[in-house]
Amino acid sequence: MGIICNYERRGVFYEHIDAADILHDLKRLLKNEDPNIRSKACSAIGNMCRHSSYFYASLAKHEIIAIIIDLCGDSDKRTKKFACFAVGNAAYHNECLYDELKAVIPELRNVLVSDVEDKTKGNAAGALSNLVRNSGRLCEDIVSQGALQWS
């Protein structure tokens, strides 16, 4: 895939987490039939991206971003909530994943107009705002896909 993401080093634990080589396991857990496992895996991804872009390139390389995007439309409310959280954090620190995250805009719009809890809607709205935080290149897509038209 060749995504290069510069990251700001804020935590000493990223290298240790990376050395544990858990992304293959997390990818498998994101696809688990048990929604409790899927939601916790989404939460783990979100927390790995919370303070740094350290894992951005690895998440893209392991095709985890695409899975998280799909999970924003999951039938399980907790999985959906934590998938939106993970997407938001994957867009927070820089724009290197914006091209791949562009595909999440319709899912985030759907969350905003659906009957879900406010925390999930807040995560979706936060994710949308993070998709324009570092660059305006997705603004037109957000507007044209109706993500700003909810009531």
Side-chain angles (χ1 to χ4, degrees):
M1 178 163 262
I3 292 178
I4 298 172
C5 299
N6 295 323
Y7 67 92
E8 180 180 329
R9 185 169 183 210
R10 290 208 175 163
V12 296
F13 300 109
Y14 291 114
E15 289 88 3
H16 298 293
I17 295 168
D18 198 16
D21 196 28
I22 62 170
L23 291 179
H24 293 289
D25 293 325
L26 277 175
K27 184 176 181 178
R28 184 177 44 79
L29 295 173
L30 289 167
K31 297 177 179 180
N32 194 285
E33 67 182 41
D34 184 338
N36 292 314
I37 293 173
R38 288 194 311 272
S39 69
K40 291 196 184 302
C42 288
S43 179
I45 297 293
N47 282 309
M48 289 169 65
C49 297
R50 190 175 203 155
H51 300 288
S52 170
S53 63
Y54 182 92
F55 289 104
Y56 284 9
S58 296
L59 293 172
K61 177 184 170 191
H62 288 88
E63 300 175 342
I64 289 174
I65 297 299
I67 297 168
I68 294 289
I69 288 170
D70 288 343
L71 291 174
C72 287
D74 198 88
S75 60
D76 177 65
K77 64 182 183 179
R78 287 186 27 223
T79 300
K80 186 180 301 200
K81 174 172 63 177
F82 287 113
C84 290
F85 165 72
V87 164
N89 286 346
Y92 184 80
H93 298 285
N94 63 46
E95 65 180 292
C96 77
L97 295 176
Y98 280 14
D99 289 337
E100 191 167 357
L101 289 170
K102 177 181 177 178
V104 79
I105 295 169
E107 290 294 348
L108 296 174
R109 180 203 58 229
N110 291 342
V111 169
L112 291 173
V113 299
S114 68
D115 186 26
V116 296
E117 67 180 338
D118 288 344
K119 181 65 177 171
T120 304
K121 286 186 180 190
N123 286 351
L128 280 169
S129 73
N130 289 345
L131 289 173
V132 298
R133 175 181 164 82
N134 301 293
S135 164
R137 71 180 183 201
L138 295 181
C139 289
E140 185 176 317
D141 294 294
I142 289 170
V143 172
S144 69
Q145 294 184 45
L148 298 178
Q149 303 301 319
W150 77 91
S151 55

